[in-house]
Structures are given as C-alpha cells and as structure tokens.
Amino acid sequence: DGGITQSPKYLFRKEGQNVTLSCEQNLNHDAMYWYRQDPGQGLRLIYYSQIVNDFQKGDIAEGYSVSREKKESFPLTVTSAQKNPTAFYLCASSIFQGAGNQPQHFGDGTRLSIL
Amino acid sequence: AQKVTQAQTEISVVEKEDVTLDCVYETRDTTYYLFWYKQPPSGELVFLIRRNSFDEQNEISGRYSWNFQKSTSSFNFTITASQVVDSAVYFCALSGMGANSKLTFGKGITLSVRP
C-alpha cells in the first residue's frame, strides 16, 4: 500500500539534545511538509520541500532543521534551540506544491515529549 | 493573509443526531481551494473533500454533505445520522495559488458522538 510512514510513534528528548523524526513516502510525490500540532491550535507549518535538495521555511521554522536528499525522505531535526518541543508532529506529502489544489496525505504522526 | 475560523471547538451529540461543523474563511485570492480533513484518535489526518472557488455546488457523499457559500465565505460540513465512529477532530483548510498555495488550517472541531 502506498502511504507515508513516520517513525518513531513516540519520542522523548532530554534537555540540550537534538532528535530526528523520520518521514518516508512511497507515493512518488514531489512535495513534502512538516507540521506541528498543539492542543487546540490546529496545524502549523514548520518546513516544506517542493523538490529534492530544496526546502523552504514555514511559519514556525525556528529551532528546527530538515533535509531532502531523496524524493522519498524528509527527516525533521528538532534542535536544542527549540525550547518548547513537546507536540505532535505530522508529516505530509502532495503530488506537487504551488497549484494549491492538491490534497495532502498525512502520516500517523510522532509525539515528542521532554524528559 | 489567509485565515480559517472554526468557531466551534467541541461538539457533543448523541448517535443518530445530525451535526453541522462550521467553517469561515478569509482570502484575497479569486482562485482558492477549501478542504476538510478528519483526524481520528489514531492521529493521521484523512482527506475528506476539496472544493474550488468556482464550484459552489453542494456535495453529498453518503452521510456527509458540504455547503459552500461564497457570499458568506463559509464551507460548512454536515454529518447526517451521526455514528460513534464519526468521533474525531475535524479541520477545515484553505489554499490559494502561488505564494498562498500552502494550506492554512483552522484550529479544528472536536466532535464526540455518544452511543
């Protein structure tokens, strides 16, 4: 089945530690996205990538970094600079980005907590 | 700037009741797209529907129906004869073209359907 796989499902971070969230898709989509979801806040865009080796900051990129070395993969690193990382992180993909009419497909999410 | 308002935060109904989830949007684009997503307890967002700004025809899919009215900038979602499996968080989202083609989400409505 085609889809988006996020791992791990639960992740714990110690103070001062960087952690990386994995996102893999086999939908052959060009565009990929990372969102952060906090209770009652909806989804906020962290980073997005329209094509391999290219990515753009979203609305809340500070304290996060990404890479897009392969079309299938878009890992997100939560750095120690992100002071409030506890949240639910969702990865998504779409056929391409820019036309606005493409629905995004989402993974199951990773819940990150601070130890 | 684009904005999506879901004024209802939580709705609780008894099974078999009809329920309407409201969505009001703001955009300066003449071409735009509206979406509804469902987020069950598992966490993954499931795409339900997309409408473009030129198509105000209402749509029905089984127990689900959507009412799009440009005059009031609303895109409301009705579930007829609700079921326990409809319990989830529902998000309305908006995207435009070009620089506005990224999805803007509302804060979501938590729907609880009691047996």
Side-chain angles (χ1 to χ4, degrees), chain B residues 12 22 25 31 44 54 58-59 75 80 91-92 96 103 109:
Chain B
S12 181
D22 298 333
Y25 63 91
T31 300
E44 176 184 356
F54 298 111
N58 291 335
E59 183 153 340
F75 186 44
T80 302
F91 290 97
C92 181
L103 274 177
I109 302 169

Side-chain angles (χ1 to χ4, degrees), chain A residues 55-112:
Chain A
F55 48 83
Q56 310 293 331
K57 291 182 179 181
D59 300 318
I60 55 165
E62 186 174 347
Y64 300 97
S65 66
V66 293
S67 63
R68 187 86 186 276
E69 297 175 2
K70 298 187 298 183
K71 187 175 186 177
E72 304 80 21
S73 179
F74 191 40
L76 172 74
T77 296
V78 184
T79 74
S80 57
Q82 172 50 244
K83 297 306 178 189
N84 184 24
T86 298
F88 188 55
Y89 291 86
L90 283 158
C91 179
S93 70
S94 63
I95 293 175
F96 56 87
Q97 194 275 339
N101 63 341
Q102 298 299 317
Q104 293 181 16
H105 300 261
F106 286 80
D108 288 343
T110 293
R111 193 166 298 280
L112 176 62

Side-chain angles (χ1 to χ4, degrees), chain A residues 37 97 99-101 104 108, chain B residues 37 39 44 50 95 97 101:
Chain A
Q37 184 178 12
Q97 194 275 339
N101 63 341
Q104 293 181 16
D108 288 343
Chain B
Y37 285 86
Q39 185 179 40
E44 176 184 356
R50 174 191 64 207
S95 69
M97 302 292 290
S101 62

Side-chain angles (χ1 to χ4, degrees), chain A residues 99-104, chain B residues 4 6 23 32-38 47-52 66 75 90-96 101-106:
Chain A
N101 63 341
Q102 298 299 317
Q104 293 181 16
Chain B
V4 175
Q6 296 182 263
C23 174
Y32 53 89
Y33 303 89
L34 294 160
F35 301 80
W36 275 95
Y37 285 86
K38 174 182 180 180
F47 165 68
L48 295 178
I49 190 172
R50 174 191 64 207
R51 302 299 283 176
N52 71 56
W66 291 269
F75 186 44
Y90 291 87
F91 290 97
C92 181
L94 166 71
S95 69
S101 62
K102 300 182 291 297
L103 274 177
T104 298
F105 285 87

Side-chain angles (χ1 to χ4, degrees), chain B residues 10-106:
Chain B
E10 295 184 19
I11 300 175
S12 181
V13 299
V14 176
E15 208 169 18
K16 297 184 184 177
E17 282 186 35
D18 298 347
V19 58
T20 296
L21 311 181
D22 298 333
C23 174
V24 174
Y25 63 91
E26 296 175 30
T27 180
R28 292 180 181 170
D29 290 344
T30 53
T31 300
Y32 53 89
Y33 303 89
L34 294 160
F35 301 80
W36 275 95
Y37 285 86
K38 174 182 180 180
Q39 185 179 40
S42 59
E44 176 184 356
L45 264 74
V46 177
F47 165 68
L48 295 178
I49 190 172
R50 174 191 64 207
R51 302 299 283 176
N52 71 56
S53 51
F54 298 111
D55 184 1
E56 286 192 71
Q57 208 168 20
N58 291 335
E59 183 153 340
I60 298 174
S61 176
R63 296 184 296 107
Y64 294 172
S65 62
W66 291 269
N67 181 279
F68 175 30
Q69 293 195 352
K70 287 179 76 170
S71 60
T72 55
S73 297
S74 66
F75 186 44
N76 296 340
F77 174 27
T78 296
I79 301 174
T80 302
S82 60
Q83 299 177 2
V84 173
V85 292
D86 295 327
S87 297
V89 181
Y90 291 87
F91 290 97
C92 181
L94 166 71
S95 69
M97 302 292 290
N100 287 334
S101 62
K102 300 182 291 297
L103 274 177
T104 298
F105 285 87

